[in-house]
Amino acid sequence: MKRLAVVVAVISLACRGGDGDDDEARVPSRVHGRAVILDDQARATLELAVAPVREAELPDIRVRYGRVAARPGDELVIAAPLVGQVTAVAAVAIGDRVTAGQELVRVGPVLGASERAALGVQTAEIGAQVAQAEQEVRLREAELTRTRDLAKDGIASQAKLQEAEAAVTSARARLAAARQGRQAQAGALGRAVSLKSPADGTLIALDAVVGGGVETGRPLARVLRGGARRIDLSVGASDPIATAYEVHVDERWLPARLVARGTTIAEDGNRHDLIELEPGAEPLLGSTVEVRLATAQTRGLVVPESAVLSAAGGDIVYVEGPHGTFEPHLVQITARFGGRVRVARGLAAGDAVVVRGVAALRGEAVRAALGNDED
């Protein structure tokens, strides 16, 4: 019996020793110095993803600023086709989406007895306005063609080209308004004219109130057609063309392409290049945006931008160590582009960095540190 008791005691001690090892293997979430230590369950809950630091090429960048503009023809003007009075205004607000054919304003003609008698004269006047507008469109289109040819040879500036494009757009809008007036005159006298959006887009201006009088050709609404937005980018007069561009829009960095290089020095002493965002990105017209310009490729340690967390003391990256340990490293970043960053100091090739869940890990570190303080 004594021998049996000794065997049982040895087995019991061995089991307790095994349990102690298991306790060491299951590392609880806690803070040790600057590092946060997670057990497997906490790591899974935070959905952390880790990747090794590698050497790769990433371009150097310059940061410049530009002004958002619409492409020529994307800003559509809805003008009054005749002298009249606003009888209805759509219940839409600036910034609302509108669809092609949606009524925005309704205008009724205002004609007294004498005006009715002079209707024929007015019709002739509108016909003359149409002819004059058609002649102006032809003239502006010819000037635009000539300016484009000169711009290709570097003789005309990008600003002149944009000015010519805007002149064509305005002339076409006046012609459309004049033709609408002629159609209104040809229709039933006294019937209100419905002014509709010519395309799907965003309402950016609405200058009409019920009961207000309007003159022929007065702009009542403007609609911005959906599509790519352009950036008038101010760069140094001698700066080289970048190899790629990124624009900061709504807390995101979006790619852009070069449309035209400025060929003259503006009054601000800079050259103005024209770049274009991909369709779908629609920053506010006239707003100023930050632009990254990529230059020469440089080799270095590169990590995803998602691995970097901004802190009071600078940028940090969490590096995984043994036994579920994650330690923050203060890093020096020399370039950011295309969702990646190049690190000059603070990491070594092969380091395992957290590339997903960094903010959650930082929160866990703060939570665990507060828990330790309470203990």
Side-chain angles (χ1 to χ4, degrees):
M1 291 294 293
K2 291 182 179 179
R3 181 176 298 177
L4 178 60
V6 171
V7 172
V8 171
V10 171
I11 294 174
S12 177
L13 288 173
C15 290
R16 283 198 297 271
D19 290 343
D21 292 340
D22 289 344
D23 288 340
E24 288 186 5
R26 291 194 299 271
V27 182
S29 300
R30 63 180 187 272
V31 172
H32 180 70
R34 297 173 60 247
V36 59
I37 305 174
L38 303 178
D39 58 19
D40 292 341
Q41 181 179 358
R43 177 173 179 154
T45 301
L46 297 180
E47 298 182 348
L48 301 186
V50 176
V53 177
R54 301 185 185 278
E55 282 198 5
E57 287 189 342
L58 194 71
D60 294 325
I61 64 164
R62 304 190 308 273
V63 175
R64 298 290 184 266
Y65 294 87
R67 185 173 179 273
V68 181
R71 295 179 303 179
D74 279 353
E75 188 173 349
L76 309 173
V77 180
I78 297 93
L82 44 72
V83 176
Q85 187 178 49
V86 176
T87 61
V89 178
V92 290
I94 304 302
D96 285 353
R97 294 285 183 177
V98 295
T99 58
Q102 179 179 342
E103 182 179 86
L104 301 177
V105 181
R106 192 178 303 157
V107 177
V110 178
L111 297 175
S114 60
E115 292 170 328
R116 291 172 183 271
L119 182 60
V121 176
Q122 293 179 8
T123 302
E125 289 177 350
I126 292 178
Q129 292 175 6
V130 171
Q132 182 179 0
E134 289 174 343
Q135 182 179 1
E136 183 181 3
V137 167
R138 289 193 294 270
L139 176 63
R140 297 302 182 189
E141 287 177 343
E143 290 178 352
L144 176 58
T145 300
R146 183 167 59 255
T147 304
R148 282 174 174 165
D149 292 338
L150 294 175
K152 291 178 181 179
D153 297 332
I155 299 174
S157 67
Q158 184 62 35
K160 287 293 184 182
L161 179 58
Q162 293 181 29
E163 182 180 340
E165 291 174 338
V168 169
T169 301
S170 298
R172 288 173 177 170
R174 286 190 290 270
L175 175 58
R179 286 174 173 171
Q180 287 179 351
R182 184 170 60 186
Q183 291 174 357
Q185 289 288 353
L189 186 61
R191 187 171 60 191
V193 177
S194 177
L195 305 182
K196 303 176 180 180
S197 175
D200 294 346
T202 302
L203 185 69
I204 60 174
L206 183 61
D207 184 17
V209 293
V210 175
V214 295
E215 300 292 331
T216 303
R218 172 186 161 185
L220 299 180
R222 295 178 185 271
V223 172
L224 182 61
R225 193 198 310 267
R229 298 288 174 257
R230 290 184 172 180
I231 311 295
D232 180 1
L233 181 62
S234 178
V235 299
S238 59
D239 282 1
I241 292 293
T243 58
Y245 300 85
E246 281 186 335
V247 181
H248 195 214
V249 179
D250 297 332
E251 303 304 321
R252 297 178 298 161
W253 286 96
L254 304 177
R257 67 180 184 87
L258 179 68
V259 175
R261 181 184 189 274
T263 56
T264 60
I265 299 177
E267 294 180 358
D268 60 4
N270 291 327
R271 188 183 81 232
H272 284 254
D273 294 347
L274 194 63
I275 63 175
E276 187 172 279
L277 289 164
E278 294 181 352
E282 298 184 359
L284 294 176
L285 293 186
S287 61
T288 300
V289 292
E290 185 179 1
V291 183
R292 290 174 179 168
L293 292 76
T295 58
Q297 294 283 344
T298 300
R299 193 164 185 83
L301 298 179
V302 175
V303 299
E305 196 165 12
S306 61
V308 181
L309 187 67
S310 296
D315 295 316
I316 62 171
V317 171
Y318 276 92
V319 177
E320 183 180 17
H323 307 300
T325 302
F326 296 88
E327 184 174 358
H329 285 216
L330 187 65
V331 295
Q332 180 185 357
I333 294 175
T334 56
R336 300 173 183 256
F337 198 81
R340 300 185 300 160
V341 300
R342 189 172 65 246
V343 178
R345 188 171 59 222
L347 293 175
D351 282 348
V353 300
V354 178
V355 297
R356 187 183 68 203
V358 182
L361 180 59
R362 175 63 175 170
E364 178 69 13
V366 173
R367 185 197 65 77
L370 292 175
N372 285 355
D373 291 341
E374 291 175 358
D375 294 341

